[in-house]
């Protein structure tokens, strides 16, 4: 039914641009998440005592906990960052492209 | 239909009450707690509510799309809660609290490993899943490949995951309910099986989604309440909490740093891979992406799910830390009333004892009811995913070659969920005294190795052909199962051999690369005409994946 429409969308230079920009953004965020996670796991595996450093001088609570919670919070905020652009800017371009191809 | 449902529901309730009568004389038996009236009353309120929802959902389930994907009419926020519900099982609440209670920070590392798959799903998979899929994830893998072959292997992968996961949940449910409610093991398993079949058969995806949403709210609310009550005893001061925990734990200061968890890097990396990519290959989670109207809402669901899961894991870690002091120094929670001996009810009980310590029998009853509700909701999601693999993939598209009518397909699906219910109950009873911990690992391993590689390749790599998909799936499935069977978890713990044949218990680090390698090898050596056409078809699929044009839309109502 729609091969012709797909063909038209594919030929639209805006489509390539949209895909390139959105993919770049998504992969960049993925790389940041995986990078931070990987560094964390490496520290856990090879230098666990670093994470035992107290938060407050002479205290007991270690920096490990806020670092863990911070990672969870940061990754969530990054998903928020992604949908902000994907559901706004990118989706607007997207619907314009699709609309142009149907007419 | 509604009348039949009410009869069924009535029978289920009668069965439940009968169970109470039968169980009553047994109060006081070893490992079985006295009948927990608060828990049972609250649980029955939950059951009545969910049966009401199922009745309401049954009225609205008319087409195959309603049945499998709630007609695509679930909003992103609702679906996000439901996804979080699918992901936060009773094992999360009990197991991870217990892990923090005994191991300290290692418990939180485990939480982070469980969590990190979600941002990945958001960035790389959510919109493509929604734009390409319809009812099952095999809709995506078979989009441009041979329907029969690819759907068959996808259904085998799905059913393997579903059955192992179901058995683990059933056995867990039976033991937990015996412990918390004072019911017989088999009665608990039968109640779970019957409720699961009622939700799925009559209410389809609409009922399953709402049961999941209610349960997610109860679990988040209940967990947060217990955590806040517990944390208030330390004046909401993390330093005080940590100091007391270190004072009162056998592990002492080691609580505050990573410990034995990652002493073996191969196991650690393999576990993280399995958890991360296994999540992205679980059929009941993937199915949830098809219940929202478009990619926008799909992204929103992952955003909400990520928030709920991350928040809940943090709550659970705080519960575990608080329990070290509140439960760990209170003699009434230990066998024989001696602090430091075995915890009453076993090692998974810190969360429950904590609820009792901070909120008395009422809070214990509430959290027990929530745990039971959690199990019901998770098994319902699993059963629906399994039944869909049988009816939509195997029956409608493989056996009938796409010629089955919607009504036939849904009928087969309902029969399948009944069949799965019977199988789950029988296996649940058969495995009562077995160690089933390996089954969840196996489910994640197969999801990460058999389902995930082919799914991601089908969406991202033009070169994937039918032959590659089959080779990859089979390689992943066989290697994941073999590794688990030959490892300590099955070879020694279940089969009773002395030494494991394979030294590692977590398959993903070995089986995932194998699956990717064979998918690649099978594809690049495939010079057939069919393969050429399949690669050609990627172009249209790519546009649909990116733009959502031509995607299965929301139903008109």
């Amino acid at each position: 039914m729609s091969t012709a429409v797909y063909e038209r969308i594919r030929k639209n230079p805006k489509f390539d641009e949209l895909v390139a920009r959105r993919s770049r953004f998504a992969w960049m965020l993925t790389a940041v998440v995986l990078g931070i996670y990987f560094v964390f796991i490496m520290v856990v595996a090879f230098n666990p005592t670093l994470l035992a450093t107290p938060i407050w001088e002479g205290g007991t609570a270690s920096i490990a906990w806020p670092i863990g919670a911070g990672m969870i919070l940061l990754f969530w905020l990054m998903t928020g960052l992604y949908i902000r652009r994907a559901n706004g800017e990118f989706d607007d371009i997207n619907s314009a492209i699709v609309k142009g191809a149907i007419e | 239909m509604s009348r039949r449902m009410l009869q069924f529901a009535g029978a289920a309730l009668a069965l439940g009450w009968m169970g109470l009568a039968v169980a009553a004389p047994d109060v006081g038996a070893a490992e079985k707690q006295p009948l927990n009236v608060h828990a049972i009353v609250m649980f029955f309120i939950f059951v009545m509510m969910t049966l009401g929802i199922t009745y309401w959902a049954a009225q609205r389930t008319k087409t195959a799309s309603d049945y499998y994907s709630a007609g695509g009419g679930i909003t992103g926020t609702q679906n996000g809660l439901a996804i979080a519900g699918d992901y936060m099982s009773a094992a999360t609440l009990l197991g991870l609290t217990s892990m923090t209670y005994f191991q300290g920070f290692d418990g939180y590392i485990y939480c982070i490993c469980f969590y990190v798959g979600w941002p990945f799903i958001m960035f790389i998979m959510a919109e493509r899943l929604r734009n390409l899929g319809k009812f099952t994830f095999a809709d995506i893998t078979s989009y441009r490949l041979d329907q029969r072959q690819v759907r068959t292997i996808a259904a085998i992968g799905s059913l393997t995951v579903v059955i192992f996961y179901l058995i683990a949940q059933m056995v867990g449910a039976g033991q937990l309910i015996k412990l918390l409610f004072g019911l017989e093991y088999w009665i608990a398993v039968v109640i779970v099986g019957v409720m699961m079949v009622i939700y799925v058969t009559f209410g389809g995806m609409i009922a399953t989604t709402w049961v999941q949403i209610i349960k997610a709210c109860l679990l988040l609310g209940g967990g947060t309440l217990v955590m806040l009550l517990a944390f208030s005893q330390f004046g909401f001061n993390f330093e005080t909490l940590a100091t007391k925990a270190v004072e009162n734990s056998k592990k002492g200061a080691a609580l505050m740093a990573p410990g034995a968890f990652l002493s073996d890097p191969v196991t650690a990396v393999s576990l993280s891979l399995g958890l991360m990519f296994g999540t992205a290959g679980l059929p009941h989670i993937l199915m949830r992406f098809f219940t929202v109207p478009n990619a926008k809402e799909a992204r929103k669901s992952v955003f909400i799910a990520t928030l709920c899961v991350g928040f809940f894991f943090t709550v659970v870690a705080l519960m575990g830390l608080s329990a070290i002091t509140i439960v760990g120094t209170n003699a009434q929670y230990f066998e024989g009333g001696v602090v430091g001996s075995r915890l009453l009810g076993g090692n998974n009980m810190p969360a429950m004892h904590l609820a009792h310590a901070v909120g008395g029998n009422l809070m214990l009853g509430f959290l027990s009811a929530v745990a039971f509700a959690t199990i019901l909701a998770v098994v319902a999601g699993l059963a629906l995913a399994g039944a869909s693999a049988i009816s939509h993939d195997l029956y409608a598209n493989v056996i009938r070659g796409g010629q089955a009518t919607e009504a036939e397909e849904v009928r087969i699906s309902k029969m399948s969920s009944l069949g799965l219910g019977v199988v789950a109950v029988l296996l649940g009873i058969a495995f009562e005294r077995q160690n089933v911990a390996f089954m969840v690992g196996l489910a994640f391993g197969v999801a990460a190795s058999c389902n995930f590689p082919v799914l991601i390749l089908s969406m991202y790599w033009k070169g994937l052909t039918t032959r590659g998909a089959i080779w990859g799936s089979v390689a992943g499935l066989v290697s994941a199962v073999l590794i688990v069977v030959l490892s300590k978890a099955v070879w020694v713990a279940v089969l009773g051999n002395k030494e494991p044949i394979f030294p590692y218990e977590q398959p993903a680090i070995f089986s995932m690369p194998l699956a990717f390698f064979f998918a690649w090898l099978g594809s690049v050596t495939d010079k057939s005409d069919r393969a050429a056409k399949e690669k050609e078809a990627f172009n249209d699929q790519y546009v649909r994946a990116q733009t959502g044009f031509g995607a299965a839309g929301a139903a008109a109502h």
Side-chain angles (χ1 to χ4, degrees):
Chain A
M1 51 143 191
S2 37
T3 307
V5 178
Y6 286 140
E7 185 73 35
R8 276 203 294 280
I9 295 179
R10 206 161 41 237
K11 290 220 169 101
N12 186 341
K14 278 198 188 134
F15 172 69
D16 289 332
E17 197 197 315
L18 168 73
V19 169
R21 277 171 62 194
R22 191 168 55 196
S23 307
R24 208 180 316 125
F25 189 51
W27 283 110
M28 191 195 79
L29 291 172
T30 309
V32 172
V33 167
L34 290 184
I36 294 174
Y37 177 66
F38 185 73
V39 168
F40 173 74
I41 291 293
M42 286 300 119
V43 173
V44 164
F46 296 108
N47 195 1
T49 46
L50 183 68
L51 289 168
T53 314
I55 308 174
W56 295 282
E57 192 86 1
T60 311
S62 65
I63 55 168
W65 301 91
I67 287 178
M71 274 170 59
I72 288 181
L73 185 68
L74 178 73
F75 294 170
W76 175 67
L77 289 176
M78 287 173 65
T79 65
L81 203 65
Y82 179 73
I83 72 164
R84 231 185 104 135
R85 276 190 86 183
N87 280 5
E89 182 191 340
F90 295 147
D91 266 5
D92 292 344
I93 305 173
N94 191 13
S95 39
I97 294 172
V98 172
K99 224 173 153 194
I102 299 171
E103 277 157 9
Chain B
M1 178 200 257
S2 57
R3 219 163 117 202
R4 244 174 72 206
M5 197 199 90
L6 285 177
Q7 281 169 2
F8 209 169
L13 287 180
L15 202 70
W17 290 117
M18 227 166 65
L20 295 187
V22 175
D26 272 323
V27 169
E31 284 287 331
K32 222 172 81 180
Q33 304 291 299
L35 220 51
N36 184 334
V37 180
H38 287 116
I40 287 166
V41 169
M42 280 184 263
F43 178 68
F44 273 102
I45 294 173
F46 174 82
V47 166
M48 295 312 287
M49 218 162 109
T50 52
L51 285 176
I53 286 169
T54 309
Y55 179 78
W56 167 82
Q59 313 289 309
R60 272 153 194 80
T61 302
K62 295 191 179 70
T63 64
S65 162
D66 295 335
Y67 180 79
Y68 288 121
S69 63
I74 305 287
T75 71
T77 310
Q78 290 164 350
N79 193 41
L81 277 168
I83 291 178
D86 261 323
Y87 203 58
M88 303 181 298
S89 59
T92 319
L93 174 68
L94 302 180
L96 293 177
T97 311
S98 146
M99 213 164 158
T100 321
Y101 176 87
F102 287 105
Q103 314 282 341
F105 188 65
D106 276 0
Y108 204 37
I109 301 179
Y110 207 87
C111 292
I112 293 166
C113 292
F114 253 115
Y115 172 80
V116 78
W118 287 105
F120 177 80
I121 289 175
M122 168 68 107
F123 305 142
I124 300 305
M125 297 178 75
E127 63 204 17
R128 293 190 191 211
L129 282 175
R130 177 61 195 89
N131 286 342
L132 291 174
K134 195 173 161 208
F135 298 153
T136 63
F137 82 88
D139 291 332
I140 302 170
T141 49
S142 69
Y143 190 86
R144 65 194 160 93
L145 306 182
D146 184 278
Q147 294 283 328
R148 287 195 177 183
Q149 294 182 26
V150 173
R151 280 188 193 270
T152 305
I153 191 77
I156 293 171
S158 298
L159 286 170
T160 312
V161 172
V162 164
I163 291 198
F164 283 119
Y165 215 138
L166 264 181
I167 297 174
Q169 290 287 334
M170 281 290 181
V171 174
Q175 282 161 352
L176 188 72
I177 290 161
K178 182 165 125 185
L179 206 66
L180 299 176
F181 288 70
L183 293 180
E184 290 292 336
Y185 177 89
W186 71 270
I187 295 169
V189 170
V190 170
I191 294 177
V192 173
V194 169
M195 292 305 300
M196 164 182 114
V197 172
I198 292 176
Y199 294 147
V200 172
T201 310
F202 295 104
M205 184 53 105
I206 301 178
T208 306
T209 303
W210 281 100
V211 169
Q212 206 63 270
I213 291 173
I214 294 176
K215 159 251 160 134
C217 294
L218 284 174
L219 190 59
L220 282 167
T224 309
L225 187 60
V226 171
M227 182 275 281
L228 288 176
L229 287 171
F231 204 8
S232 73
Q233 300 199 2
F234 304 93
F236 295 106
N237 183 331
F238 188 68
E239 176 65 29
T240 317
L241 171 67
T243 313
K244 288 269 184 192
V246 168
E247 261 169 40
N248 294 314
S249 168
K250 280 181 200 158
K251 283 199 75 183
L255 279 180
M256 292 290 121
F261 178 66
L262 289 180
S263 56
D264 170 6
V266 174
T267 303
V269 174
S270 196
L271 178 72
S272 332
L273 282 177
L275 292 179
M276 186 166 167
F277 297 111
T279 307
L282 291 173
H284 62 298
I285 301 264
L286 291 170
M287 221 180 150
R288 296 231 58 92
F289 283 89
F290 314 136
T291 65
V292 289
N294 50 43
K296 247 191 182 81
E297 297 296 314
R299 293 185 198 111
K300 232 183 258 172
S301 7
V302 187
F303 179 66
I304 298 290
T306 311
L307 170 67
C308 294
V309 172
F311 175 75
F312 187 66
F313 282 166
T314 306
V315 166
V316 158
L318 283 171
M319 280 172 69
L321 268 186
S322 314
I324 295 172
T325 305
I326 298 174
V327 175
T329 57
N330 190 333
Q332 66 165 313
Y333 300 119
F334 290 91
E335 270 172 20
V338 182
V339 170
S341 66
R342 211 168 156 270
L343 273 179
L344 268 186
N347 283 347
N348 271 330
M349 294 303 281
M352 291 299 160
H353 292 324
L354 183 69
H356 183 259
V358 299
N361 277 330
L362 194 66
M363 189 56 86
L364 174 67
F366 176 65
L367 209 62
S368 307
V370 169
F372 198 173
T374 297
I375 292 170
L376 279 188
V378 170
V379 294
L382 284 167
L384 184 60
S388 311
I390 296 174
S391 61
H392 182 62
D393 295 330
L394 286 182
Y395 176 76
N397 284 298
V398 175
I399 297 173
R400 298 288 303 277
Q403 301 300 309
T405 65
E406 281 199 355
E408 281 173 336
E409 204 181 310
V410 172
R411 202 173 61 235
I412 295 290
S413 189
K414 293 183 172 182
M415 281 159 59
S416 310
S417 72
L418 187 62
L420 276 172
V422 172
V423 169
V425 167
L426 291 179
L427 290 177
I429 291 171
F431 280 91
E432 177 181 356
R433 294 184 197 292
Q434 301 290 323
N435 180 348
V436 293
F438 73 91
M439 286 190 181
V440 174
L442 191 57
F444 269 84
V446 171
S449 318
C450 176
N451 302 346
F452 173 75
V454 170
L455 178 63
I456 197 91
L457 286 177
S458 73
M459 294 194 293
Y460 275 88
W461 185 41
K462 184 177 181 173
L464 184 74
T465 70
T466 298
R467 198 170 78 174
I470 302 295
W471 284 22
S473 301
V474 171
L477 179 66
V478 171
S479 58
V481 171
L482 262 185
I483 287 174
V484 174
V485 169
L486 297 180
S487 77
K488 202 177 119 206
V490 178
W491 199 251
V492 179
V494 178
L495 299 175
N497 293 295
K498 272 213 172 65
E499 288 293 319
I501 295 181
F502 196 79
Y504 300 106
E505 285 182 32
Q506 300 294 338
I509 201 173
F510 309 101
S511 53
M512 272 181 67
L514 268 178
F516 276 110
F517 173 74
F518 276 100
W520 170 81
L521 188 70
S523 299
V524 292
T525 56
D526 189 354
K527 302 289 179 210
S528 60
D529 288 346
R530 187 182 68 181
K533 281 201 192 93
E534 286 166 357
K535 288 174 193 170
E536 189 56 39
F538 182 80
N539 292 334
D540 281 358
Q541 181 198 326
Y542 183 70
V543 177
R544 171 163 158 182
Q546 292 290 354
T547 61
F549 179 72
H557 56 88

